[in-house]
Amino acid sequence: MICNGKNINLRTVNVSDANFIYEMRQNEVKTKYLSTIEGTVESQKEWIKKYKNREKDKIEFYFVIESKDEEKLGLVRMYDFKGDSFGWGSWLIKDNAPRTTAIESALQIYEFAFHNLNFKKAHFDVRKGNEKVIAFHKRFGAIIISENDLDYFFNFEKSDYEIIKEKYKRFL
């Protein structure tokens, strides 16, 4: 499955991506606000094999963010599908990725979720202290609906996406 954007594409992960995923998830700076993973590249391969069944059943999607020339730029997941709402996160982008990668990958996630999978809203959490990501989601129009000691919990409606999509349509 592929989501094509102006400068990047999202494609679902394959077992051959295990090393890239493992390296990205082992980057302590990039994963400071994400849950840690255990294991090795081999255990990542096994996880991907199991994940591919969840993808086939359309209950989770894990994407590699790629440039048009197929350079791997990052990762992003869709999961926690609840009725008309989906969760997304585990969003990691390489340091040397083009600066529009975050905007484009978020737009592609929303476009895929709202227009291909027919979700009506998104829900996600962001760790407190992850100021750049909190600010990004607020600029997009996401609303903090609650919080706990560790996280802010956001909602983002399809109608909000349609408004922000106009503002950022040059990236689609």
Side-chain angles (χ1 to χ4, degrees), residues 84-129:
D84 66 353
S85 184
F86 72 97
W88 72 285
S90 302
W91 195 19
L92 295 170
I93 298 172
K94 287 173 38 176
D95 288 330
N96 64 345
R99 62 181 194 83
T100 60
T101 302
I103 291 169
E104 289 190 55
S105 58
L107 288 167
Q108 287 184 31
I109 285 290
Y110 288 131
E111 190 70 19
F112 178 67
F114 293 140
H115 293 287
N116 291 70
L117 300 178
N118 297 312
F119 284 108
K120 303 288 183 242
K121 61 185 168 187
H123 60 272
F124 49 91
D125 55 273
V126 180
R127 287 279 154 94
K128 291 180 175 178

Side-chain angles (χ1 to χ4, degrees), residues 6-98:
K6 181 178 179 184
N7 299 302
I8 64 166
N9 298 324
L10 300 184
R11 67 157 175 84
T12 53
V13 300
N14 296 306
V15 173
S16 62
D17 297 311
N19 195 55
F20 176 72
I21 294 167
Y22 185 79
E23 286 178 9
M24 289 291 289
R25 294 299 305 238
Q26 293 300 309
N27 181 324
E28 292 179 10
V29 173
K30 289 285 181 193
T31 60
K32 179 178 179 180
Y33 299 106
L34 298 180
S35 58
T36 58
I37 64 164
E38 304 283 326
T40 64
V41 172
E42 287 306 312
S43 57
Q44 187 66 57
K45 287 178 182 177
E46 292 306 311
W47 188 92
I48 293 169
K49 289 175 187 174
K50 292 175 185 169
Y51 147 76
K52 292 305 270 185
N53 289 321
R54 297 189 301 276
E55 175 191 302
K56 185 179 67 171
D57 294 337
K58 295 186 171 143
I59 57 174
E60 180 179 347
F61 294 94
Y62 197 4
F63 296 102
V64 173
I65 304 165
E66 289 185 328
S67 67
K68 291 296 183 179
D69 63 359
E70 299 181 0
E71 177 190 353
K72 296 173 185 175
L73 302 173
L75 302 163
V76 63
R77 288 180 56 220
M78 290 178 61
Y79 52 90
D80 196 28
F81 297 177
K82 295 179 181 175
D84 66 353
S85 184
F86 72 97
W88 72 285
S90 302
W91 195 19
L92 295 170
I93 298 172
K94 287 173 38 176
D95 288 330
N96 64 345

Side-chain angles (χ1 to χ4, degrees), residues 145-162:
I145 57 165
S146 66
E147 65 182 277
N148 64 21
D149 290 343
L150 289 176
D151 300 308
Y152 291 114
F153 297 91
F154 286 84
N155 269 4
F156 186 70
E157 304 281 333
K158 181 179 180 182
S159 58
D160 298 321
Y161 170 68
E162 296 304 331

